[in-house]
Amino acid sequence: MKETNSRAAVLGLQHLLAMYAGAVAVPLLIGTGLGFNESQMTYLISIDIFMCGVATLLQLVVTRFFGIGLPVVLGCAIQAVSPLILIGTKSGITAIYGAVIAAGIFIVLISGIFSKIKVLFPPLVTGTVITVIGLTLIPVAITKIGGGDAAAANFGDPTNLLIGFVTIALIIGVQVLGKGFLRSIAVLVGLVGGTILAACLGLVDLSAISHAPVFHLPQPFYFGKPTFDIWSILLMIIISIVSLVESTGVYFALGDITEKPITGDDLKRGYRAEGLAVILGGIFNTFPYTGFSQNVGLVQLSGIKTRRPIFFSAIFLIILGLFPKIGAIAQIIPEAVLGGGMLVMFGMVAVQGMKMLSKVDFANDKNLLIIAVSIGFGLGFNTMPTLFSQMPETVQMFTGNGIVMSSLTAIVLNLIFNGVPKTSKETKVNETTFSLEKTKEA
């Protein structure tokens, strides 16, 4: 099939639709968690969409220093949600963006040596952490299905439960009965269908769209000048490294699909581009960016392995981000509908971690112990953050976040029991094979 611009544009639109629900979920979650008002939410969502396009372009355009040159789409990292809400609650929103900018600079600086650092994140560690990320976020989705506020008198209202479960049923139905591209946007179909049902029941408020401006431009430091808190920065660096490990898997998978060998120089440029995207995210008050794995499956599904459709997707994202009324559409989605979609997405994150853990040698009791303690710390401390209420506030910032505790525990215990694995050609081949298997399963 000849790849004309019109066909590439349609494919680009498909990529946009495949990642849109995941792209807007992060600002929606963080904005809700920090109590943003209507105008702040509109800006946050619109600029997030805009910056997704910019971040994607940084990877598509290959220069001497930046860009991996693969058909990769970048979006906000879902694993950053809980840590960013924690930073915003403890230290204020300006500390969020100070931490994001610092983490982006850190990624750019370590890009050349990350091939050595990433040995600290074998499937045993990353699989455990990603599993914990999914499991710790699921209660957020359940709360939203009940109405969004567990303390409210109408929490668990049957109407909200109906809407939430219908949303989940639609997603499952599209996944089971749909084919090809339709399956790749199952979450989006569920969100649209659930919102239509809610509108029929009189539960959709369109005021956010009417109040939003028609057009705006990105504003640096919209929420104020960034502040740099050392503990918030360390927390964000840990999350950024986890995101970088995930992106590495995406790069290897796309390299295999497009039959392009991924060299060390390619990875360096890819890491630098991702770091630059994170820095820009902090400056324009959005969030960290990472390679979106759902678009990898779409590249394989469509059979079009060039970057041209992704260029169109990036351009579409940038254009959409300049029109806040489009971003405001995401705000009309009721809490129960969001909860239904998020339950599926967060559950899939946990399952992805479990898939990674399937590559681990479970005959080794040390590996079982590492996973058990890391997940126990991650879920336990996240469920009961007041356990460390007598400790200094800087300590609580780490102990109260299950993702961070799980990451640190898994890394330390893996080093104690298994040591630092030696990098070899065989390891790199296994990495590529594993990434391809992930893509085929998706």
Side-chain angles (χ1 to χ4, degrees), residues 338-427:
L338 274 177
M342 289 172 181
L343 179 69
V344 177
M345 287 194 293
F346 296 158
M348 290 301 292
V349 171
V351 170
Q352 188 61 50
M354 295 173 192
K355 284 183 180 180
M356 296 179 75
L357 288 175
S358 68
K359 305 297 178 180
V360 173
D361 179 14
F362 284 110
N364 186 335
D365 288 340
K366 293 178 181 177
N367 290 341
L368 291 176
L369 186 62
I370 293 169
I371 296 169
V373 175
S374 300
I375 290 179
F377 277 15
L379 295 183
F381 295 169
N382 198 75
T383 303
M384 191 60 64
T386 55
L387 178 66
F388 296 92
S389 59
Q390 303 301 315
M391 302 293 287
E393 197 168 296
T394 50
V395 174
Q396 293 182 50
M397 183 168 284
F398 288 91
T399 57
N401 187 285
I403 298 170
V404 174
M405 291 305 298
S406 177
S407 301
L408 293 175
T409 305
I411 291 169
V412 172
L413 290 181
N414 183 58
L415 287 173
I416 292 173
F417 291 134
N418 296 325
V420 179
K422 296 179 179 179
T423 54
S424 64
K425 291 182 179 179
E426 182 181 354
T427 303

Coordinates of all heavy atoms in Angstrom, one line a residue, residues 338-427:
L338 N -15.0 8.2 34.5 CA -13.5 8.2 34.6 C -13.1 7.0 35.5 O -12.1 6.3 35.1 CB -13.1 9.5 35.3 CG -12.8 10.7 34.4 CD1 -12.4 11.9 35.2 CD2 -11.7 10.4 33.3
G339 N -13.8 6.7 36.5 CA -13.4 5.6 37.4 C -13.4 4.3 36.7 O -12.6 3.4 36.8
G340 N -14.5 4.1 35.9 CA -14.6 2.8 35.1 C -13.4 2.7 34.1 O -12.8 1.6 34.1
G341 N -13.1 3.7 33.4 CA -12.0 3.7 32.5 C -10.7 3.5 33.2 O -9.8 2.7 32.8
M342 N -10.5 4.2 34.3 CA -9.2 4.1 35.0 C -9.0 2.7 35.7 O -7.9 2.2 35.8 CB -9.2 5.2 36.1 CG -9.0 6.6 35.5 SD -9.2 7.9 36.7 CE -8.9 9.3 35.7
L343 N -10.1 2.1 36.1 CA -10.0 0.8 36.7 C -9.4 -0.2 35.7 O -8.5 -1.0 36.1 CB -11.4 0.3 37.1 CG -11.4 -1.1 37.7 CD1 -10.8 -1.1 39.1 CD2 -12.9 -1.6 37.9
V344 N -9.9 -0.1 34.5 CA -9.3 -1.0 33.4 C -7.9 -0.6 33.1 O -7.0 -1.5 33.1 CB -10.2 -0.9 32.1 CG1 -9.5 -1.8 31.0 CG2 -11.6 -1.3 32.4
M345 N -7.6 0.7 33.0 CA -6.2 1.1 32.7 C -5.2 0.7 33.8 O -4.1 0.2 33.5 CB -6.2 2.6 32.4 CG -6.8 3.0 31.1 SD -6.4 4.7 30.6 CE -7.3 5.6 31.8
F346 N -5.6 1.0 35.0 CA -4.7 0.7 36.1 C -4.5 -0.8 36.3 O -3.5 -1.3 36.7 CB -5.2 1.4 37.4 CG -5.3 2.9 37.3 CD1 -6.1 3.6 38.2 CD2 -4.5 3.6 36.4 CE1 -6.1 5.0 38.2 CE2 -4.5 5.0 36.4 CZ -5.3 5.7 37.2
G347 N -5.6 -1.5 36.1 CA -5.5 -3.0 36.1 C -4.6 -3.5 35.1 O -3.8 -4.4 35.4
M348 N -4.6 -2.9 33.9 CA -3.7 -3.3 32.8 C -2.3 -3.0 33.1 O -1.3 -3.7 32.8 CB -4.1 -2.7 31.5 CG -5.4 -3.2 30.9 SD -5.4 -5.0 30.6 CE -4.2 -5.1 29.3
V349 N -2.0 -1.9 33.9 CA -0.7 -1.5 34.3 C -0.2 -2.6 35.2 O 1.0 -3.1 35.1 CB -0.7 -0.2 35.0 CG1 0.7 0.1 35.6 CG2 -1.0 0.9 34.0
A350 N -1.0 -3.0 36.2 CA -0.6 -4.1 37.1 C -0.3 -5.4 36.4 O 0.7 -6.1 36.6 CB -1.7 -4.3 38.2
V351 N -1.2 -5.7 35.4 CA -1.0 -7.0 34.6 C 0.3 -6.9 33.8 O 1.0 -7.9 33.7 CB -2.2 -7.2 33.7 CG1 -1.9 -8.3 32.7 CG2 -3.4 -7.6 34.5
Q352 N 0.6 -5.7 33.3 CA 1.9 -5.6 32.5 C 3.1 -5.9 33.4 O 4.0 -6.5 33.0 CB 2.0 -4.2 31.9 CG 3.1 -4.0 31.0 CD 3.0 -4.9 29.8 OE1 2.0 -4.9 29.1 NE2 4.1 -5.6 29.5
G353 N 3.0 -5.4 34.6 CA 4.1 -5.7 35.6 C 4.2 -7.2 35.8 O 5.3 -7.8 35.9
M354 N 3.0 -7.9 36.0 CA 3.0 -9.3 36.2 C 3.6 -10.1 35.0 O 4.3 -11.1 35.1 CB 1.6 -9.8 36.4 CG 1.0 -9.2 37.7 SD -0.8 -9.7 37.9 CE -1.2 -8.6 39.3
K355 N 3.3 -9.5 33.8 CA 3.9 -10.2 32.6 C 5.4 -10.1 32.6 O 6.1 -11.0 32.3 CB 3.4 -9.5 31.3 CG 2.0 -9.8 30.9 CD 1.6 -9.1 29.6 CE 0.2 -9.5 29.2 NZ -0.2 -8.8 27.9
M356 N 5.9 -8.9 33.1 CA 7.4 -8.8 33.2 C 7.9 -9.7 34.2 O 9.0 -10.3 34.0 CB 7.7 -7.3 33.5 CG 7.3 -6.3 32.5 SD 7.7 -4.6 32.9 CE 9.5 -4.6 32.7
L357 N 7.2 -9.9 35.3 CA 7.7 -10.8 36.3 C 7.6 -12.3 35.9 O 8.3 -13.1 36.5 CB 6.8 -10.7 37.6 CG 7.0 -9.4 38.4 CD1 6.0 -9.3 39.5 CD2 8.4 -9.3 39.0
S358 N 6.9 -12.6 34.8 CA 6.8 -14.0 34.3 C 8.2 -14.4 33.8 O 8.4 -15.6 33.6 CB 5.7 -14.1 33.2 OG 6.1 -13.4 32.1
K359 N 9.1 -13.4 33.5 CA 10.4 -13.7 33.0 C 11.4 -14.0 34.1 O 12.5 -14.3 33.8 CB 10.9 -12.5 32.1 CG 10.0 -12.1 31.0 CD 9.8 -13.2 30.0 CE 8.9 -12.8 28.9 NZ 8.7 -13.8 27.8
V360 N 10.9 -13.8 35.3 CA 11.8 -14.0 36.5 C 11.9 -15.5 36.9 O 10.9 -16.2 36.7 CB 11.3 -13.2 37.7 CG1 12.1 -13.4 39.0 CG2 11.4 -11.7 37.3
D361 N 13.0 -15.9 37.4 CA 13.2 -17.3 37.8 C 12.5 -17.5 39.2 O 13.1 -17.1 40.3 CB 14.7 -17.6 37.9 CG 14.9 -19.0 38.4 OD1 14.0 -19.9 38.4 OD2 16.1 -19.3 38.8
F362 N 11.3 -18.0 39.3 CA 10.6 -18.2 40.5 C 11.1 -19.4 41.3 O 10.7 -19.6 42.4 CB 9.1 -18.2 40.3 CG 8.5 -16.9 40.0 CD1 8.0 -16.6 38.7 CD2 8.4 -15.9 41.0 CE1 7.4 -15.4 38.4 CE2 7.8 -14.7 40.7 CZ 7.3 -14.4 39.4
A363 N 11.9 -20.2 40.7 CA 12.5 -21.3 41.4 C 13.6 -20.8 42.4 O 13.9 -21.5 43.4 CB 13.2 -22.3 40.5
N364 N 14.0 -19.6 42.3 CA 15.0 -19.0 43.2 C 14.2 -18.3 44.3 O 13.5 -17.3 44.1 CB 15.8 -17.9 42.4 CG 16.9 -17.3 43.2 OD1 16.8 -17.3 44.5 ND2 17.9 -16.8 42.6
D365 N 14.3 -18.8 45.5 CA 13.6 -18.3 46.7 C 14.0 -16.9 47.0 O 13.2 -16.1 47.5 CB 13.9 -19.2 47.9 CG 13.2 -20.5 47.8 OD1 12.2 -20.6 47.0 OD2 13.6 -21.4 48.5
K366 N 15.2 -16.4 46.6 CA 15.6 -15.1 46.9 C 14.8 -14.1 46.0 O 14.4 -13.0 46.5 CB 17.1 -14.9 46.5 CG 18.0 -15.6 47.4 CD 19.5 -15.5 47.0 CE 20.4 -16.2 48.0 NZ 21.8 -16.1 47.5
N367 N 14.5 -14.5 44.8 CA 13.6 -13.7 43.9 C 12.2 -13.5 44.5 O 11.6 -12.4 44.5 CB 13.6 -14.2 42.5 CG 14.9 -14.1 41.8 OD1 15.7 -13.3 42.1 ND2 15.1 -14.9 40.7
L368 N 11.7 -14.6 45.0 CA 10.4 -14.6 45.6 C 10.3 -13.7 46.8 O 9.4 -12.9 47.0 CB 10.0 -16.0 46.1 CG 9.7 -17.0 45.0 CD1 9.4 -18.4 45.6 CD2 8.5 -16.6 44.1
L369 N 11.4 -13.7 47.6 CA 11.5 -12.8 48.8 C 11.6 -11.4 48.4 O 10.9 -10.5 49.0 CB 12.7 -13.2 49.6 CG 12.9 -12.5 51.0 CD1 11.7 -12.8 51.9 CD2 14.2 -12.9 51.6
I370 N 12.3 -11.1 47.4 CA 12.5 -9.7 46.9 C 11.1 -9.1 46.5 O 10.7 -8.0 46.8 CB 13.5 -9.6 45.7 CG1 14.9 -9.9 46.2 CG2 13.4 -8.2 45.1 CD1 15.9 -10.1 45.0
I371 N 10.4 -9.9 45.7 CA 9.1 -9.5 45.2 C 8.1 -9.4 46.3 O 7.3 -8.4 46.4 CB 8.5 -10.5 44.1 CG1 9.5 -10.5 42.9 CG2 7.1 -10.2 43.7 CD1 9.2 -11.7 41.9
A372 N 8.1 -10.3 47.2 CA 7.1 -10.3 48.3 C 7.3 -9.1 49.2 O 6.3 -8.4 49.5 CB 7.3 -11.6 49.1
V373 N 8.5 -8.8 49.6 CA 8.8 -7.7 50.5 C 8.6 -6.4 49.8 O 8.0 -5.5 50.4 CB 10.3 -7.8 51.1 CG1 10.6 -6.5 51.9 CG2 10.5 -9.0 51.9
S374 N 9.0 -6.3 48.5 CA 8.8 -5.0 47.8 C 7.3 -4.7 47.6 O 6.9 -3.5 47.8 CB 9.5 -5.1 46.4 OG 10.9 -5.3 46.6
I375 N 6.5 -5.7 47.2 CA 5.1 -5.5 47.0 C 4.4 -5.2 48.4 O 3.6 -4.3 48.5 CB 4.4 -6.7 46.3 CG1 4.9 -6.7 44.9 CG2 2.9 -6.5 46.4 CD1 4.3 -7.9 44.1
G376 N 4.9 -5.9 49.4 CA 4.3 -5.7 50.8 C 4.6 -4.3 51.2 O 3.7 -3.6 51.8
F377 N 5.8 -3.8 51.1 CA 6.1 -2.4 51.5 C 5.3 -1.4 50.6 O 4.8 -0.5 51.1 CB 7.6 -2.2 51.3 CG 8.5 -2.6 52.5 CD1 8.0 -3.5 53.4 CD2 9.8 -2.2 52.6 CE1 8.7 -3.9 54.5 CE2 10.6 -2.6 53.7 CZ 10.0 -3.5 54.6
G378 N 5.3 -1.7 49.3 CA 4.6 -0.7 48.4 C 3.2 -0.6 48.7 O 2.7 0.5 48.9
L379 N 2.4 -1.7 48.8 CA 1.0 -1.6 49.1 C 0.7 -1.3 50.6 O -0.2 -0.5 50.8 CB 0.3 -3.0 48.8 CG 0.4 -3.4 47.3 CD1 -0.4 -4.7 47.1 CD2 -0.2 -2.3 46.4
G380 N 1.5 -1.8 51.5 CA 1.2 -1.6 52.9 C 1.5 -0.2 53.3 O 0.6 0.5 53.9
F381 N 2.6 0.4 52.9 CA 2.9 1.8 53.3 C 2.0 2.8 52.6 O 1.7 3.8 53.1 CB 4.4 2.1 53.0 CG 5.4 1.3 53.8 CD1 6.7 1.3 53.5 CD2 4.9 0.6 54.9 CE1 7.6 0.6 54.3 CE2 5.8 -0.2 55.7 CZ 7.2 -0.1 55.4
N382 N 1.6 2.4 51.4 CA 0.7 3.3 50.6 C -0.7 3.3 51.3 O -1.4 4.3 51.3 CB 0.6 2.9 49.2 CG 0.0 3.9 48.3 OD1 0.7 4.9 47.9 ND2 -1.3 3.8 47.9
T383 N -1.1 2.2 51.8 CA -2.5 2.0 52.5 C -2.5 2.7 53.8 O -3.5 3.3 54.2 CB -2.8 0.6 52.6 OG1 -2.8 -0.1 51.4 CG2 -4.2 0.4 53.2
M384 N -1.4 2.7 54.5 CA -1.3 3.3 55.9 C -0.1 4.2 56.0 O 0.8 4.0 56.7 CB -1.2 2.1 56.9 CG -1.4 2.6 58.3 SD -3.0 3.3 58.6 CE -4.1 1.9 58.3
P385 N -0.2 5.4 55.3 CA 0.9 6.3 55.3 C 1.2 6.9 56.7 O 2.3 7.4 57.0 CB 0.5 7.4 54.3 CG -1.0 7.3 54.3 CD -1.3 5.9 54.5
T386 N 0.2 6.9 57.6 CA 0.3 7.5 58.9 C 1.2 6.6 59.8 O 1.5 7.0 61.0 CB -1.0 7.6 59.6 OG1 -1.8 6.4 59.6 CG2 -1.9 8.7 58.9
L387 N 1.6 5.4 59.3 CA 2.5 4.5 60.1 C 3.8 5.3 60.5 O 4.4 5.0 61.5 CB 2.8 3.3 59.2 CG 3.8 2.3 59.8 CD1 3.1 1.6 61.1 CD2 4.2 1.2 58.8
F388 N 4.2 6.2 59.7 CA 5.4 6.9 59.9 C 5.2 8.4 60.3 O 6.0 9.3 60.1 CB 6.3 6.9 58.7 CG 6.8 5.5 58.3 CD1 6.0 4.7 57.4 CD2 7.9 5.0 58.8 CE1 6.4 3.5 57.1 CE2 8.3 3.7 58.5 CZ 7.6 2.9 57.6
S389 N 4.0 8.6 60.9 CA 3.6 10.0 61.3 C 4.5 10.6 62.3 O 4.6 11.9 62.5 CB 2.2 10.1 61.7 OG 2.0 9.2 62.9
Q390 N 5.3 9.8 63.1 CA 6.2 10.3 64.1 C 7.6 10.6 63.6 O 8.4 11.1 64.3 CB 6.3 9.3 65.2 CG 5.0 8.9 65.9 CD 4.3 10.0 66.5 OE1 4.9 10.9 67.2 NE2 3.0 10.1 66.2
M391 N 7.8 10.3 62.3 CA 9.1 10.5 61.6 C 9.1 11.9 61.0 O 8.1 12.6 60.8 CB 9.3 9.5 60.5 CG 9.3 8.0 61.0 SD 10.6 7.6 62.1 CE 12.0 7.6 61.0
P392 N 10.3 12.5 60.7 CA 10.4 13.8 60.1 C 9.6 13.8 58.8 O 9.4 12.8 58.1 CB 11.9 13.9 59.8 CG 12.6 13.0 60.8 CD 11.6 11.9 61.0
E393 N 9.2 15.0 58.4 CA 8.3 15.1 57.2 C 9.0 14.7 55.9 O 8.4 14.2 55.0 CB 7.9 16.6 57.1 CG 6.7 16.8 56.2 CD 6.0 18.2 56.3 OE1 5.5 18.5 57.3 OE2 6.1 18.9 55.3
T394 N 10.3 15.0 55.9 CA 11.1 14.5 54.7 C 11.1 13.0 54.5 O 11.1 12.5 53.4 CB 12.6 15.1 54.8 OG1 13.1 14.7 56.0 CG2 12.6 16.6 54.6
V395 N 11.1 12.3 55.6 CA 11.1 10.8 55.6 C 9.7 10.4 55.2 O 9.6 9.5 54.4 CB 11.5 10.3 57.0 CG1 11.3 8.7 57.0 CG2 12.9 10.6 57.4
Q396 N 8.7 11.1 55.7 CA 7.3 10.7 55.4 C 7.0 10.8 53.9 O 6.2 10.1 53.3 CB 6.3 11.6 56.2 CG 6.3 11.3 57.7 CD 5.3 12.2 58.4 OE1 4.1 12.2 58.0 NE2 5.7 12.9 59.4
M397 N 7.7 11.8 53.2 CA 7.5 12.0 51.8 C 7.8 10.7 51.0 O 7.2 10.4 50.0 CB 8.3 13.2 51.3 CG 8.1 13.5 49.8 SD 8.7 15.1 49.3 CE 7.5 16.2 50.0
F398 N 8.8 10.0 51.5 CA 9.2 8.7 50.8 C 8.4 7.5 51.3 O 7.8 6.8 50.5 CB 10.7 8.5 51.0 CG 11.5 9.4 50.2 CD1 12.0 10.6 50.7 CD2 11.9 9.1 48.9 CE1 12.8 11.4 50.0 CE2 12.7 9.9 48.2 CZ 13.1 11.1 48.7
T399 N 8.3 7.4 52.6 CA 7.6 6.3 53.2 C 6.1 6.3 52.9 O 5.4 5.2 52.9 CB 7.8 6.2 54.7 OG1 7.3 7.4 55.3 CG2 9.2 6.0 55.1
G400 N 5.5 7.4 52.6 CA 4.1 7.5 52.3 C 3.7 7.2 50.9 O 2.6 7.2 50.5
N401 N 4.8 7.0 50.1 CA 4.5 6.7 48.7 C 4.9 5.3 48.4 O 6.1 4.9 48.4 CB 5.4 7.7 47.8 CG 5.0 7.5 46.3 OD1 5.4 6.5 45.7 ND2 4.3 8.4 45.8
G402 N 3.9 4.4 48.1 CA 4.2 3.0 47.9 C 5.1 2.7 46.7 O 5.9 1.8 46.8
I403 N 5.0 3.5 45.7 CA 5.7 3.3 44.5 C 7.2 3.5 44.8 O 8.1 2.7 44.4 CB 5.3 4.2 43.3 CG1 3.8 3.9 43.0 CG2 6.2 4.1 42.1 CD1 3.2 5.0 42.1
V404 N 7.5 4.6 45.5 CA 9.0 4.8 45.8 C 9.5 3.8 46.7 O 10.6 3.3 46.5 CB 9.1 6.2 46.4 CG1 10.5 6.5 46.9 CG2 8.7 7.3 45.4
M405 N 8.8 3.4 47.7 CA 9.2 2.4 48.7 C 9.4 1.1 48.0 O 10.4 0.3 48.3 CB 8.2 2.3 49.8 CG 8.2 3.5 50.8 SD 9.8 3.9 51.4 CE 10.2 2.4 52.4
S406 N 8.5 0.7 47.1 CA 8.7 -0.5 46.4 C 9.9 -0.5 45.5 O 10.7 -1.5 45.4 CB 7.4 -0.8 45.5 OG 7.6 -1.9 44.7
S407 N 10.1 0.6 44.8 CA 11.3 0.8 43.9 C 12.6 0.6 44.7 O 13.5 -0.2 44.3 CB 11.3 2.1 43.2 OG 10.1 2.3 42.5
L408 N 12.7 1.4 45.8 CA 14.0 1.4 46.6 C 14.2 0.0 47.2 O 15.3 -0.5 47.2 CB 13.9 2.4 47.7 CG 13.9 3.9 47.2 CD1 13.7 4.8 48.4 CD2 15.2 4.2 46.5
T409 N 13.1 -0.6 47.7 CA 13.3 -2.0 48.3 C 13.7 -3.0 47.3 O 14.6 -3.8 47.5 CB 11.9 -2.4 48.9 OG1 11.5 -1.4 49.9 CG2 12.1 -3.7 49.7
A410 N 13.1 -3.0 46.1 CA 13.4 -4.0 45.1 C 14.8 -3.8 44.6 O 15.6 -4.8 44.4 CB 12.4 -3.8 43.9
I411 N 15.3 -2.5 44.4 CA 16.6 -2.3 43.9 C 17.7 -2.8 45.0 O 18.6 -3.5 44.6 CB 16.8 -0.8 43.6 CG1 16.0 -0.3 42.4 CG2 18.3 -0.5 43.4 CD1 16.0 1.2 42.2
V412 N 17.5 -2.4 46.2 CA 18.4 -2.7 47.3 C 18.5 -4.2 47.5 O 19.6 -4.8 47.6 CB 18.1 -2.0 48.6 CG1 19.0 -2.5 49.7 CG2 18.3 -0.5 48.4
L413 N 17.3 -4.9 47.6 CA 17.3 -6.3 47.9 C 17.9 -7.1 46.7 O 18.6 -8.1 46.9 CB 15.9 -6.8 48.2 CG 15.3 -6.3 49.5 CD1 13.9 -6.9 49.7 CD2 16.2 -6.7 50.7
N414 N 17.6 -6.6 45.5 CA 18.1 -7.3 44.3 C 19.7 -7.2 44.3 O 20.3 -8.2 43.9 CB 17.6 -6.7 43.0 CG 18.0 -7.4 41.8 OD1 17.8 -8.6 41.6 ND2 18.7 -6.7 40.9
L415 N 20.2 -6.0 44.6 CA 21.7 -5.9 44.7 C 22.3 -6.8 45.8 O 23.3 -7.4 45.6 CB 22.0 -4.4 45.0 CG 21.8 -3.5 43.8 CD1 22.1 -2.0 44.2 CD2 22.8 -3.8 42.6
I416 N 21.6 -6.9 46.9 CA 22.1 -7.7 48.0 C 22.1 -9.2 47.7 O 23.1 -9.9 47.9 CB 21.2 -7.4 49.3 CG1 21.4 -6.0 49.8 CG2 21.6 -8.5 50.4 CD1 20.5 -5.6 51.0
F417 N 21.0 -9.6 47.1 CA 20.8 -11.1 46.8 C 21.4 -11.5 45.5 O 21.9 -12.6 45.4 CB 19.4 -11.5 46.9 CG 18.8 -11.4 48.3 CD1 17.5 -10.8 48.5 CD2 19.5 -11.9 49.4 CE1 17.0 -10.7 49.8 CE2 18.9 -11.8 50.7 CZ 17.7 -11.3 50.9
N418 N 21.3 -10.7 44.5 CA 21.7 -11.1 43.1 C 22.9 -10.3 42.6 O 23.5 -10.7 41.5 CB 20.5 -10.9 42.1 CG 19.4 -11.8 42.5 OD1 19.6 -12.9 42.9 ND2 18.2 -11.3 42.3
G419 N 23.3 -9.2 43.2 CA 24.4 -8.4 42.8 C 24.1 -7.7 41.5 O 23.0 -7.6 41.1
V420 N 25.1 -7.1 40.9 CA 25.0 -6.3 39.7 C 25.2 -7.2 38.5 O 26.3 -7.8 38.3 CB 25.9 -5.1 39.6 CG1 25.7 -4.4 38.3 CG2 25.7 -4.2 40.8
P421 N 24.2 -7.5 37.6 CA 24.3 -8.4 36.5 C 25.3 -7.8 35.5 O 25.3 -6.6 35.3 CB 22.9 -8.5 35.9 CG 22.2 -7.3 36.4 CD 22.8 -6.9 37.7
K422 N 26.0 -8.6 34.8 CA 27.0 -8.2 33.8 C 26.2 -8.0 32.5 O 25.4 -8.8 32.1 CB 28.1 -9.2 33.6 CG 29.0 -9.4 34.8 CD 30.1 -10.4 34.5 CE 31.0 -10.6 35.7 NZ 32.0 -11.6 35.5
T423 N 26.4 -6.8 31.8 CA 25.8 -6.6 30.5 C 26.6 -7.3 29.4 O 27.8 -7.4 29.5 CB 25.9 -5.1 30.2 OG1 27.2 -4.6 30.2 CG2 25.0 -4.3 31.1
S424 N 25.8 -7.9 28.5 CA 26.5 -8.7 27.5 C 25.6 -8.6 26.2 O 24.5 -8.1 26.3 CB 26.6 -10.2 27.9 OG 25.3 -10.7 28.1
K425 N 26.1 -9.1 25.2 CA 25.3 -9.2 23.9 C 24.1 -10.0 24.1 O 23.0 -9.8 23.6 CB 26.2 -9.7 22.8 CG 27.3 -8.8 22.4 CD 28.1 -9.4 21.2 CE 29.2 -8.4 20.7 NZ 30.0 -9.0 19.6
E426 N 24.3 -11.1 24.9 CA 23.1 -12.0 25.1 C 22.0 -11.3 25.9 O 20.8 -11.4 25.6 CB 23.6 -13.2 26.0 CG 22.5 -14.2 26.2 CD 23.0 -15.4 27.1 OE1 24.2 -15.5 27.3 OE2 22.1 -16.2 27.4
T427 N 22.4 -10.4 26.9 CA 21.4 -9.7 27.6 C 20.7 -8.7 26.7 O 19.4 -8.6 26.8 CB 22.1 -8.9 28.7 OG1 22.8 -9.7 29.6 CG2 21.1 -8.1 29.5

